[in-house]
Amino acid sequence: MKRWLPFLMSVSLAAGCTRYTPVEGQELPFEETGAVYGYQAEAEAGAPREAGAETSHGVGNLKRPDAPEKTGAMGENAVSLSLPGPSVKCVSLALSEAQRQAKELGEAVRAAQDQRTPVKVKGIYVTAYVAGNREMMEHIISRIDGTELNAVVIDFKTDEGHIAAYVDSPVFEGVDACRNYIPDLPALMDTLKSHGIYTIARIVAFRDPWLSEKRPDVSLKRADGSVYRDRQGLSWVNPYKREVWDYLVEAGRQAAAAGFDEVQFDYIRFSTDSTMREVVFDEADTLGRSRTDVITEFAGYAYERLAPLGVFVSADVFGAIIGSGEDAAAVGQSYGAMADCVDYICPMIYPSHYGDGNFGLDHPDLHPYETISGALNQSSQELSAYREGQREQSPEGGAGKERGPGDDAEKERSPEVGAREEQGGESQEQGKQSPEGKRRKEQALVRPWLQDFTAGYLRHHRHYGDKELREQIQAVYDAGYEEWILWNASNQYHYGGLLNESDAQAGGEVPAF
């Protein structure tokens, strides 16, 4: 494979070549009902925090003498190489003659990417702090070994903007971004691989308090030139800045070099805080592009540079953007367009985040099965419509059936966008070709985030335990999807709602509650 790298680099150039964590605060203005544009809003007090463990005690080498052979994508090609080139705008437009000529070369890139080994992920989220704690990770690994779980999502670039381990990168050294949250990352990766655990590096993208304070020139700014901060006092970097794209791609390269099987972008969007109206954008940066334009472009840009390194690429998105052009425009996420640019798209469809009345339910948090089922059926319909070209796209890239609000974050949005994402199928058919000779023949597979926490801050909520967890998982399967990831900010999961390893392999019955 390595001998093909120089060729693949030239091919890429010739061809024109995915809760948020979640914890963003009450970003959008409250309605009288207490919901934020239909998503349930958290109370200031009592809301679970994302950080999880407060201290790190080191990890060491946890590899067991009797551990099975390593499985999954091993990141053999996780080398640091630069693939400069024009940005890729993954929208459905006619191919030019030059682009058609480049398409044949693009097939070689796809062939190389097809060497990656896909895994049907059943995973959990793990903070950097927990990942760096030997005792905690030993417990988590033992639980994974004994259940149907086979994957972990680990913070690599954190919500604070730090790289969770020291890596050899002048880019990050220049802004002092690295931290020792995971003291021995190579040993941790070896241990996870020895247990056959698929590894996903979570990279928080455009909400980056560290980089934006270190580099105000790439931050979102107000008209007076000051750095913009949301209601939580957190600053964001500007998605229109190419330097920011390259910074995030460097994080992905370092994750690939560390041996992660997949790079997952979170906060791959604009802030939904109502104070975004104070932000001004320079036409020299926007070049006439909308929010959905630039987020979609970044997804394609990152994919094209990271997939050849042997890693899969995924993106976390609001569940609210599914079927809503207004919500897509507000956050910059077009569900169908982004699904054309990454391997996996991960909608955060936590029942607690949907307002009363969604999917015909009085209080969605009380109905975990029905909420997940409704959200994923909507997902299937949206992707089918986008794939078949039946839905006219709005100027913002969202579904044409919705009104387009432009870039005004204060305009009314449909019922789910704006919640604090505190805790936060079946193979897809062939997708459309992008103007650059699309790297992907198929739409991204849908891998939803599920709720494994109790939203006690809601007036109408339900305790989430083993039963509620299993209901959501069953809804995923019944909707025709096969993968899922669980979110709990403190990493306290309800393992009793999972099948044990032997029953899962045998297709056994679900636990009795």
Side-chain angles (χ1 to χ4, degrees):
M1 178 64 191
K2 291 181 179 178
R3 68 176 183 271
W4 289 96
L5 286 176
F7 170 69
L8 292 176
M9 292 172 63
S10 63
V11 165
S12 298
L13 292 170
C17 325
T18 10
R19 160 217 54 346
Y20 278 85
T21 54
V23 202
E24 192 165 326
Q26 296 166 346
E27 298 182 327
L28 299 176
F30 280 92
E31 297 181 290
E32 292 181 0
T33 60
V36 181
Y37 289 110
Y39 252 139
Q40 300 289 1
E42 290 182 14
E44 286 299 321
R49 300 302 301 167
E50 177 184 0
E54 295 297 330
T55 59
S56 174
H57 303 290
V59 62
N61 191 336
L62 310 183
K63 186 173 181 179
R64 301 184 314 190
D66 59 341
E69 293 296 320
K70 298 180 182 180
T71 60
M74 301 306 295
E76 292 180 88
N77 299 313
V79 295
S80 180
L81 59 118
S82 177
L83 297 176
S87 64
V88 178
K89 186 173 181 179
C90 297
V91 293
S92 300
L93 299 173
L95 296 176
S96 68
E97 183 61 33
Q99 291 158 350
R100 281 192 290 269
Q101 292 174 357
K103 186 177 178 181
E104 183 176 350
L105 288 177
E107 294 292 340
V109 174
R110 287 194 289 272
Q113 294 161 4
D114 288 343
Q115 300 302 311
R116 300 171 299 170
T117 304
V119 171
K120 291 182 180 179
V121 164
K122 299 176 181 181
I124 57 175
Y125 163 69
V126 176
T127 67
Y129 306 96
V130 171
N133 183 295
R134 180 185 182 117
E135 183 178 355
M136 290 179 176
M137 281 308 296
E138 285 179 334
H139 173 72
I140 286 175
I141 289 171
S142 70
R143 288 301 194 133
I144 293 174
D145 285 345
T147 65
E148 60 190 306
L149 293 171
N150 65 356
V152 290
V153 179
I154 298 175
D155 283 334
F156 187 79
K157 181 176 178 287
T158 72
D159 293 85
E160 296 79 22
H162 296 140
I163 302 301
Y166 285 106
V167 297
D168 184 13
S169 171
V171 172
F172 298 129
E173 291 173 3
V175 292
D176 190 28
C178 297
R179 293 295 181 272
N180 200 35
Y181 300 146
I182 307 177
D184 194 343
L185 181 58
L188 174 62
M189 297 304 295
D190 284 346
T191 299
L192 293 169
K193 295 299 183 181
S194 72
H195 286 257
I197 298 173
Y198 183 86
T199 53
I200 303 172
R202 176 176 178 256
I203 294 177
V204 176
F206 298 112
R207 193 180 82 169
D208 190 331
W210 186 259
L211 180 61
S212 60
E213 299 293 345
K214 289 285 187 178
R215 289 283 310 275
D217 57 308
V218 298
S219 301
L220 293 182
K221 293 182 180 178
R222 294 182 170 84
D224 63 3
S226 63
V227 171
Y228 162 78
R229 294 177 180 81
D230 61 26
R231 288 180 176 179
Q232 288 186 320
L234 300 174
S235 50
W236 292 62
V237 289
N238 189 344
Y240 286 106
K241 294 285 190 180
R242 181 62 62 87
E243 286 181 84
V244 172
W245 292 16
D246 291 332
Y247 186 86
L248 294 171
V249 167
E250 174 65 9
R253 286 180 178 141
Q254 291 298 328
F260 282 92
D261 300 311
E262 180 175 324
V263 170
Q264 181 184 90
F265 290 102
D266 202 352
Y267 282 93
I268 180 172
R269 62 176 176 86
F270 288 78
S271 169
T272 57
D273 196 303
S274 62
T275 57
M276 272 292 289
R277 67 182 181 274
E278 303 169 7
V279 174
V280 296
F281 295 97
D282 192 329
E283 177 59 27
D285 293 325
T286 63
L287 300 176
R289 295 170 295 175
S290 70
R291 295 182 183 185
T292 50
D293 286 341
V294 75
I295 295 299
T296 303
E297 281 190 44
F298 168 71
Y301 184 90
Y303 176 86
E304 190 156 281
R305 284 150 181 78
L306 296 176
L309 304 184
V311 292
F312 290 96
V313 180
S314 57
D316 296 339
V317 298
F318 271 129
I321 67 169
I322 302 172
S324 171
E326 288 184 321
D327 294 339
V331 300
Q333 295 176 336
S334 170
Y335 196 57
M338 290 180 72
D340 268 354
C341 294
V342 293
D343 295 300
Y344 299 94
I345 193 160
C346 306
M348 297 167 294
I349 52 176
Y350 314 124
S352 63
H353 282 20
Y354 288 97
D356 295 351
N358 274 277
F359 311 115
L361 304 171
D362 52 356
H363 310 297
D365 190 63
L366 303 181
H367 308 280
Y369 177 90
E370 292 80 4
T371 302
I372 299 302
S373 178
L376 288 179
N377 287 335
Q378 188 179 59
S379 166
S380 179
Q381 294 168 9
E382 176 73 5
L383 291 180
S384 293
Y386 187 88
R387 181 170 57 243
E388 296 165 6
Q390 295 176 348
R391 177 166 292 154
E392 180 182 357
Q393 296 298 300
S394 75
E396 291 296 321
K401 68 175 185 177
E402 301 286 340
R403 299 188 310 275
D407 283 338
D408 186 355
E410 282 294 278
K411 294 189 179 181
E412 182 181 1
R413 304 181 186 105
S414 70
E416 296 91 351
V417 163
R420 285 173 76 173
E421 302 170 80
E422 174 66 54
Q423 296 278 0
E426 294 182 64
S427 62
Q428 310 292 328
E429 297 176 17
Q430 182 168 329
K432 300 176 181 179
Q433 296 292 322
S434 82
E436 303 297 335
K438 191 75 181 70
R439 286 97 43 219
R440 292 185 45 76
K441 291 182 179 179
E442 298 180 346
Q443 284 181 319
L445 295 180
V446 175
R447 184 199 291 148
W449 280 95
L450 304 180
Q451 174 176 329
D452 195 7
F453 60 91
T454 297
Y457 45 86
L458 297 179
R459 179 179 179 184
H460 300 285
H461 71 277
R462 172 175 172 176
H463 172 76
Y464 272 61
D466 297 343
K467 183 176 185 294
E468 289 72 19
L469 174 58
R470 196 70 218 175
E471 286 183 14
Q472 294 177 83
I473 293 173
Q474 190 59 48
V476 172
Y477 297 150
D478 291 348
Y481 295 94
E482 300 177 287
E483 304 186 39
W484 42 265
I485 320 174
L486 308 181
W487 178 267
N488 182 290
S490 61
N491 301 170
Q492 301 297 311
Y493 295 100
H494 292 92
Y495 297 101
L498 303 173
L499 296 175
N500 62 45
E501 188 174 17
S502 59
D503 285 347
Q505 292 177 350
E509 297 294 326
V510 300
F513 301 105

